[in-house]
Amino acid sequence: MSATPQKNRATRRVLAAAAGLATVGALVAAMPAGAQERGHGKDHGPHTPARTVDVQLLSFNDLHGNLEPPAGSAGTVSETQADGTVKAVPAGGVEYLASSLRTARKGHPYSITAAGGDMVGASPLLSGLFHDEPTIEALNKIDLDVTSVGNHEFDEGATELARLQNGGCHPVEGCYEQGKKFKGADFPYLAANVTDEKTGKPILKPYTVWKKNGVKVGFIGVTLEGTPNIVTANGVKGLKFHDEIETVNKYAKELDRQGVKSIVALIHEGGAPASTSYNYDCDSPGAGDGISGPITDIAKGISPKVDALVTGHTHQAYVCTVPDPAGNPRLVTSASSFGKLYTDTTLTYDRRTNDIVRTAVKAPTASKRHGHPHHPAPANPVSVNHVVSRDQAPATDMTALIARWNTLAAPIANRPQGFISADINGRGSTAPEKPLGNLIADAQLEGLAPADKGGAVVAFMNPGGIRADLVYKTTGSEGDGVVTYGESFTVQPFTNMMNVVNLTGAQLVTALQQQVSGANEASPKILQVSKGLTYTLDMTKTGAARVVTDTIKLNGAAIDPAKSYRVAMNEFLAGGGDGFAALGAGTDKLVGASDLDLFNAYLAAHSTAAAPLAPPATDRITVIQ
């Protein structure tokens, strides 16, 4: 990190403290000790320190620039009640995340706040319109100490990521506020497994060490090795992504040689717990029994030198034990997404060994949660996920930050685009075929079907590109059922350019098979398809056989393997993203309008206040379970 952000951080911390917005610990952070020496709170005084000290680790992941509380089902977490029923609890929004973290830190002189990547990217308009500067500003105010990069930090490429870290106004759009230069992140972004193809060196810091009164905790940050498969080619140009286990183990050795024995890995890769409830016990009946996915193998391979794993990417909530290679229990956590949860972990630090005492990782009982500080602490480390509840007082500095940026965004954000008669679920739908997916694919087909626009006969949309639901209830002053530009942008924030290409019928069939085979077999990625394409998916089978090929029809006619079809899709899919190599093999490419422009044009053409658009039927893909 250059000297400038250091100086900026110091200045801002002192000003914030003077305004009564920061703890004494923030002043400690502002002292010239350097970027790596940060701590919250006061020490215990002149007495001889105890042999062990409790270090509080607060963590979250996958914020995706959600400064305002996410709307609809995207803004709730599932909570299993005592009677076994599941309740949807409204959660999230940085006004409440800031309040939650600040409340949690009280009474904890050694407190660290860390994140597991995807802080920015695929962001709602309030942040995305300004290239996520508002989110970095919010994270600075929240006192984030460190984060790993995630795949979405690369959406706009390594140069833009470096700008978010180091500051400076946008190279094309300049400074957004007169007389104000963007100062960058005053916390380190860690990218241990992302190197420059030419130099072989990490593009950002691989690790950082948090220090306070002799207590040292090292953090290593990595993103998933498969990032190039899920980010546009331009975003990862000139970069190499390395194996997560090998990278973490390499830097754990390096930290160990430096005398840093307490190490936390921040890994932007995750798993899927057996239940979507945030309070599900994934260690029942045995350690880690209730979680699957890439993180389980990664956790089993990471050196015992690492004491805990903060993870992300899958937007799931879990606090699990996965034994390390030595067979000892080790914590693996994830806090859902969009700032709806945070994880509170107690790491017991042994001053004699400089290491974390790892005896048990079970979450504490309800009596140990905040507000009950007098109960004896259970064996450490302990960890629990907490809801970022919206019934607490919002942080006033975050309210002001949101209002300031909203004023700048309002002329664009509040522009009506169309009208809907009910919620049209996208991100909030767990079904393979989503109503909003159908709507988006139909919009793409309609916009690119004219001969001079590409002559498309079918359109495909990747499910991961649908970032929200279209919500009927008003989110501001626009009124119920009105879809604003801000809302449509939140659904499709990447502004991908559309492509129309030639694919053979055989390639089309292969693409459909790639949804459920190869890299996508364990976790299928079901393409959203435009009207006219129908087929059956038999999930009782395995691999490519799950696609019942003789049921695939376009406008009632079987697909001819030898015939050429004009296919519309966004540039990410046209580049073979998400494991769809067959879609990347298209020829005679025509570049059309952006996905967002086509979506908004479709809303305008097909809805009025008197005749709003209804959620489309989901009858294109027949699923056999």
Side-chain angles (χ1 to χ4, degrees):
M1 207 185 272
S2 68
T4 310
Q6 287 263 51
K7 185 164 173 260
N8 287 340
R9 167 191 301 153
T11 310
R12 265 182 294 167
R13 287 293 155 82
V14 173
L15 289 173
L21 298 173
T23 60
V24 174
L27 285 176
V28 174
M31 290 175 186
Q36 315 315 324
E37 300 198 18
R38 296 183 64 180
H40 297 282
K42 292 182 270 194
D43 196 21
H44 295 295
H47 307 295
T48 308
R51 172 162 173 184
T52 63
V53 59
D54 279 354
V55 175
Q56 179 189 54
L57 176 61
L58 302 174
S59 56
F60 58 97
N61 51 277
D62 296 276
L63 180 64
H64 290 287
N66 278 262
L67 300 178
E68 294 175 296
S73 59
T76 63
V77 290
S78 297
E79 181 180 74
T80 300
Q81 308 300 298
D83 64 0
T85 58
V86 177
K87 179 180 169 188
V89 181
V94 294
E95 294 162 286
Y96 305 106
L97 179 62
S99 289
S100 290
L101 294 174
R102 288 164 183 171
T103 301
R105 288 176 192 143
K106 286 174 184 169
H108 293 275
Y110 295 84
S111 184
I112 310 168
T113 304
D118 276 8
M119 295 295 97
V120 300
S123 306
L125 185 113
L126 178 60
S127 186
L129 188 63
F130 306 105
H131 295 273
D132 285 310
E133 290 180 21
T135 297
I136 298 297
E137 185 185 338
L139 292 171
N140 288 343
K141 287 176 183 288
I142 280 175
D143 277 338
L144 182 63
D145 286 295
V146 58
T147 183
S148 70
V149 293
N151 53 291
H152 281 283
E153 263 81 16
F154 294 93
D155 284 347
E156 295 188 43
T159 306
E160 174 63 4
L161 173 56
R163 185 183 77 88
L164 291 181
Q165 175 73 91
N166 299 319
C169 295
H170 192 269
V172 176
E173 294 171 26
C175 302
Y176 293 111
E177 294 177 290
Q178 201 170 351
K180 275 192 184 179
K181 184 183 169 190
F182 174 59
K183 292 171 179 172
D186 68 4
F187 50 88
Y189 254 116
L190 304 181
N193 68 330
V194 188
T195 57
D196 184 298
E197 272 181 355
K198 288 179 185 160
T199 66
K201 291 179 178 169
I203 61 162
L204 293 168
K205 286 174 177 290
Y207 62 81
T208 189
V209 181
W210 182 94
K211 300 175 186 174
K212 187 180 176 189
N213 300 330
V215 173
K216 293 185 288 187
V217 182
F219 289 86
I220 302 164
V222 296
T223 185
L224 68 154
E225 186 184 6
T227 290
N229 302 325
I230 54 175
V231 173
T232 54
N234 281 343
V236 293
K237 202 172 178 181
L239 305 178
K240 196 164 181 190
F241 291 77
H242 302 268
D243 182 83
E244 303 95 338
I245 298 171
E246 287 173 18
T247 305
V248 172
N249 290 352
K250 169 186 166 181
Y251 288 110
K253 260 189 204 167
E254 195 169 307
L255 284 166
D256 188 61
R257 280 197 299 270
Q258 294 174 17
V260 178
K261 309 291 182 186
S262 299
I263 302 171
V264 175
L266 307 174
I267 303 175
H268 191 70
E269 177 60 292
S275 163
T276 54
S277 291
Y278 82 90
N279 54 344
Y280 164 69
D281 180 3
C282 58
D283 285 347
S284 174
D289 278 356
I291 187 169
S292 59
I295 200 61
T296 54
D297 288 335
I298 290 171
K300 287 170 187 168
I302 283 178
S303 163
K305 293 183 196 303
V306 176
D307 298 294
L309 277 59
V310 170
T311 73
H313 188 55
T314 57
H315 292 206
Q316 301 296 310
Y318 47 84
V319 174
C320 299
T321 310
V322 179
D324 70 16
N328 295 319
R330 183 166 58 192
L331 192 67
V332 180
T333 72
S334 175
S336 185
S337 63
F338 303 166
K340 293 183 287 190
L341 297 177
Y342 72 93
T343 314
D344 189 340
T345 302
T346 304
L347 301 170
T348 297
Y349 183 94
D350 187 327
R351 288 184 180 274
R352 198 173 299 170
T353 63
N354 295 329
D355 208 347
I356 301 300
V357 182
R358 278 205 275 147
T359 52
V361 298
K362 290 302 294 175
T365 58
S367 65
K368 178 67 175 78
R369 297 185 180 187
H370 297 307
H372 302 276
H374 304 299
H375 290 277
N380 288 310
V382 293
S383 186
V384 68
N385 273 328
H386 293 285
V387 177
V388 174
S389 163
R390 295 187 204 163
D391 57 14
Q392 63 185 313
T396 54
D397 58 336
M398 293 295 154
T399 307
L401 180 148
I402 289 168
R404 203 180 90 237
W405 287 102
N406 260 332
T407 301
L408 289 173
I412 295 170
N414 296 338
R415 207 180 293 149
Q417 302 300 310
F419 304 85
I420 56 174
S421 63
D423 286 0
I424 304 181
N425 285 341
R427 196 75 182 178
S429 167
T430 55
E433 182 185 350
K434 306 170 195 309
L436 189 50
N438 286 357
L439 181 62
I440 290 168
D442 288 351
Q444 294 175 352
L445 177 61
E446 181 169 296
L448 300 170
D452 63 335
K453 303 291 186 193
V457 295
V458 66
F460 291 133
M461 174 64 190
N462 55 309
I466 306 168
R467 304 306 298 185
D469 303 332
L470 274 187
V471 179
Y472 175 77
K473 189 172 171 52
T474 184
T475 53
S477 58
E478 76 274 13
D480 290 349
V482 180
V483 179
T484 64
Y485 185 88
E487 289 167 331
S488 61
F489 181 98
T490 298
V491 167
Q492 290 196 98
F494 301 109
T495 320
N496 274 313
M497 300 313 289
M498 292 301 300
N499 289 184
V500 185
V501 298
N502 280 342
L503 288 173
T504 64
Q507 287 171 320
L508 267 183
V509 172
T510 301
L512 293 175
Q513 291 170 331
Q514 285 170 346
Q515 301 175 108
V516 288
S517 63
N520 293 330
E521 176 152 14
S523 182
K525 289 192 171 78
I526 306 302
L527 294 165
Q528 307 299 288
V529 299
S530 55
K531 62 187 170 199
L533 184 71
T534 54
Y535 70 96
T536 297
L537 203 54
D538 186 350
M539 297 307 286
T540 65
K541 299 200 166 117
T542 56
R546 289 166 162 173
V547 175
V548 185
T549 50
D550 59 10
T551 66
I552 306 171
K553 290 188 167 59
L554 183 59
N555 301 320
I559 297 289
D560 180 348
K563 187 180 167 185
S564 182
Y565 295 85
R566 291 294 282 167
V567 184
M569 66 194 98
N570 61 41
E571 60 190 321
F572 169 67
L573 281 178
D578 267 353
F580 290 102
L583 296 182
T587 58
D588 296 323
K589 177 168 77 176
L590 181 142
V591 178
S594 76
D595 51 7
L596 182 60
D597 285 346
L598 291 182
F599 186 52
N600 285 333
Y602 188 88
L603 289 171
H606 292 273
S607 69
T608 63
L613 196 64
T618 49
D619 54 4
R620 301 169 191 183
I621 307 170
T622 303
V623 183
I624 301 168
Q625 296 285 10

